Amino acid sequence: MWKNKLGNICAYVLSGLFVTIFLVVIVSGMFFGFFLFARTAFAVDSSQAAELINQQCLQCHGEKGFTVQRDGKNISLFVSEATYKESVHGTNACTTCHPGMEKDMPHKSAVYGQALQQKVLQECEACHDKVTKDYRTSVHGKLASAGKETAYCGDCHGSHNVLKKENPEAIYYRLNISDTCANCHDGKVMDTYKYSFHGTAVNFGYTKAATCADCHGNHTILAAEDPQSMVSAQNRPETCAQCHFFARDGFAKGMEHVTPQDKKAALPLYIVWKIFIVLIIFDFAKDGSIVIFELIRQLRGVNEVKKHTKSKDTGLNA
């Protein structure tokens, strides 16, 4: 008797469990399908809405020669539709980075210069929160907070032409970084970098050579005197070890951003450079004459062979 009851209970439990699992699967499938459909529909609607907004903006900003005068200067307001669509932000609406501008036409609240840079920085922060926080702690970010001239997001990444860093056309592509930095850090700093092995290798297209960002960082660039800086005295060996395995404490104690010609800033390097110049001249004078005499000997040998061949041919004809 109890066996029948136990069997019935087991049957009820298993049946109930099966029905429950079946209902859960059906409901979950319906919910997932609805969610997927809704998300796709929302994505399509968002894409279409962005396209409509952009087309409205491009009615004016898509016209070549569209400018505005500001402080006696003509400022271009032209945006290439093709360039923007190829950028990483190409699917975004213009109002993603320029919110509220669609309600202010013509744009009476538009700002220019450093005020625009500050506004762009705030808009970038809406999506790129972490890197923006890192930027604000850097030397560039601190100067920006103080209202001084410095590098903002657009200076290093571009504006309507932001591309993936793997794209050779991106201004922060590995082989383009030094030229981008040179827009602000020209003169001695960039000249000495391009003179160095790293700069020379980058100039010849070697993508594994160290660029400015490899040594100084990107969004977290700090002054060399800051203990947290990648190029501080205590962190330099670790920074160099990213490429140079087994970099010891004394590996990076030499001076950077100097050339052998700089006698005042790099006297030891200047002396070594002069010694090598003397050695090269001495070696050329010593061995160069050997090459010249050997060439003369080879030419005389060729002439002797020609004379011998000519006399031999003359004898046969006689």
Side-chain angles (χ1 to χ4, degrees), residues 252-268:
K253 283 189 176 179
M255 296 185 65
E256 294 298 325
H257 290 297
V258 292
T259 62
Q261 296 87 345
D262 193 344
K263 182 179 179 180
K264 185 177 180 180
L267 182 60

Side-chain angles (χ1 to χ4, degrees), residues 24 46 48 130 190 195 201 227 276 297 300:
V24 167
S46 299
Q48 290 176 344
K130 184 182 183 305
M190 197 51 59
Y195 188 92
F276 268 93
R297 190 185 72 82
R300 290 179 64 182

Side-chain angles (χ1 to χ4, degrees), residues 259-292:
T259 62
Q261 296 87 345
D262 193 344
K263 182 179 179 180
K264 185 177 180 180
L267 182 60
L269 184 62
Y270 174 81
I271 294 172
V272 172
W273 176 59
K274 286 295 185 181
I275 291 172
F276 268 93
I277 292 294
V278 171
L279 287 174
I280 290 170
I281 294 173
F282 172 75
D283 188 60
F284 179 78
K286 177 176 68 71
D287 297 334
S289 59
I290 296 174
V291 175
I292 294 172

Side-chain angles (χ1 to χ4, degrees), residues 237-253:
E238 184 180 350
T239 299
C240 294
Q242 293 177 110
C243 301
H244 302 278
F245 306 111
F246 311 112
R248 304 297 181 184
D249 291 342
F251 183 84
K253 283 189 176 179

